[in-house]
Amino acid sequence: MPSSRSAKASGRDADMKIAFIGLGNMGGGMAANLVKAGHEVNAFDLADEALRSAAEHGCSVFDDAGAACEGVDAVVTMLPNGGIVKSVYQNSVFGHAPAGAILLDCSTIDVATARDVIAAAEAAGYDMVDAPVSGGIAAANGGTLTFMVGGTEKAFERASEVLDPMGKAVIHAGAAGAGQTAKICNNMLLAITMIGTAEAMTMAKKLGLDPQKFYEISSVSSGYNWSLNAYTPLPGVGVQSPADNDYQGGFATALMLKDLRLAMEAADSVNATTVLGSTAAELYEKFAEANGGLDFSAIIKTL
C-alpha cells in the first residue's frame, strides 16, 4: 500500500549538499526552501535572472549543470519536459553526481520517460524517484507543495529527507512512474472540475442567483469540490484566488494544457476512456491560444 508522510516531521538533521537544476517559477522557491532548512544548495539554470535570484536566497550558483552535481548528496531537477529531463540526466548528472547520491526529478513529464530515466539511473548505480508536485507557485515559495513520488521504498525514504522542507505532504504513489501517473490524472480531474465549477457558477448567475449565495450553498452541499471551495474562479466570490488578481499568478493555463496533453497521451497508450478529460483538453487547447499566461481558472471567461 502506498505510504505517505507529513512533511517537516522527520526530525532529521538538515546537513545535505544538494544540486538543484531548473530554477523557474517553481524551482526557485523550492531551492530557497532547501536553503532555509539548512541544506547547502548548488543551483543551475540557463537564465541569468534565475541564478541571481538563487544567489540572493543563499544558493551557490553554477554556470555548468555537471559541475553543480559534483560532490553532492542529492540532485533535484525541475525541468520543462521529458526530452530535457532525459538529456540533463544523461549529460550532466550521471557520472557527475557521486554514485551514492539520491536523484529526484520533480518535473511533470510523460510516464514512459520517467520510467526510462529511473531505469538508466539505477543501471548507473543511483537511487532515483519521480516526484512531481501539486500546489503552484505560492506553495513552492511557501514550502507547502504536495509531492507524488514514484520509485522503490528505499529511494522514497531517501528522497523524503530532501522533499520534506519543500512540502506539506510527501506521498509514495508506487513504483517508478507512479508519481507522474498520479500527477497527470489528478490534474485531468482538476481541469474537469474547474470547467464544471465555472459552468455552474455562470449558469446560476445568468438565472439570477447571487454568485456568492451559490458559493455559500454549493460549497457546503453535494457540489463541494476543490475548484469551488479552495480556488473559486469568479472574482469577488468565495475564497481569495487568482480570479481576484485578474487571473495572474497561480497555475498558468499553458501548464494545465501541458498536463492535459500528457494525460491524453497516457490515456491513448492504455486505451483508457476519458470523455470528460478529452473535452477539457480541447477547451483548454482553444483557450490557451490567446490566454496561456493566465491562471487556468480564467477558463470561466469563455462562458
Side-chain angles (χ1 to χ4, degrees):
M1 179 178 180
S3 57
S4 64
R5 60 191 294 133
S6 173
K8 304 176 180 67
S10 67
R12 297 170 180 168
D13 292 332
D15 57 359
M16 300 178 71
K17 186 174 185 180
I18 301 169
F20 203 111
I21 301 173
L23 304 166
N25 290 332
M26 299 290 290
M30 294 165 67
N33 282 317
L34 288 174
V35 173
K36 290 178 184 177
H39 296 304
E40 181 181 347
V41 178
N42 292 352
F44 172 80
D45 194 277
L46 293 175
D48 290 339
E49 183 178 349
L51 290 176
R52 283 194 293 271
S53 178
E56 290 172 359
H57 286 92
C59 299
S60 298
V61 299
F62 287 73
D63 59 9
D64 179 80
C69 293
E70 294 177 2
V72 300
D73 302 298
V75 177
V76 181
T77 51
M78 192 63 159
L79 301 166
N81 59 58
I84 294 175
V85 168
K86 182 174 286 188
S87 176
V88 165
Y89 276 92
Q90 289 177 340
N91 299 320
S92 300
V93 179
F94 299 156
H96 293 270
I102 176 68
L103 312 181
L104 308 88
D105 180 40
C106 295
S107 319
T108 298
I109 62 174
D110 61 285
V111 177
T113 297
R115 290 172 176 166
D116 288 346
V117 174
I118 290 178
E122 291 173 346
Y126 298 96
D127 287 327
M128 183 175 179
V129 299
D130 58 295
V133 307
S134 177
I137 297 171
N141 293 335
T144 57
L145 293 166
T146 293
F147 290 91
M148 297 154 269
V149 187
T152 65
E153 187 67 38
K154 175 189 175 187
F156 170 71
E157 286 299 323
R158 294 188 63 199
S160 294
E161 186 173 1
V162 181
L163 298 174
D164 279 352
M166 299 185 288
K168 65 180 180 181
V170 180
I171 303 168
H172 191 195
Q180 300 297 344
T181 297
K183 173 65 184 287
I184 61 176
C185 291
N186 178 79
N187 278 18
M188 181 179 74
L189 178 59
L190 174 60
I192 293 167
T193 60
M194 179 56 75
I195 292 169
T197 296
E199 287 185 352
M201 296 194 81
T202 302
M203 180 176 172
K205 183 178 180 180
K206 288 183 176 181
L207 285 170
L209 179 62
D210 179 0
Q212 179 63 31
K213 287 299 180 183
F214 173 78
Y215 169 82
E216 291 174 7
I217 293 166
S218 194
S219 64
V220 294
S221 302
S222 56
Y224 176 105
N225 71 85
W226 190 88
S227 294
L228 175 67
N229 287 61
Y231 214 84
T232 317
L234 198 62
V237 178
V239 298
Q240 187 79 17
S241 71
D244 298 302
N245 189 36
D246 200 23
Y247 300 98
Q248 300 298 315
F251 184 51
T253 292
L255 295 178
M256 174 56 84
L257 178 58
K258 170 194 169 185
D259 290 356
L260 285 169
R261 287 171 174 167
L262 290 173
M264 293 305 98
E265 291 174 7
D268 287 343
S269 73
V270 294
N271 196 30
T273 300
T274 55
V275 177
L276 294 180
S278 297
T279 300
E282 291 172 4
L283 292 173
Y284 273 104
E285 194 81 49
K286 294 176 183 177
F287 184 63
E289 291 177 2
N291 302 284
L294 295 181
D295 181 76
F296 81 106
S297 63
I299 192 80
I300 198 171
K301 288 174 173 283
T302 65
L303 304 174

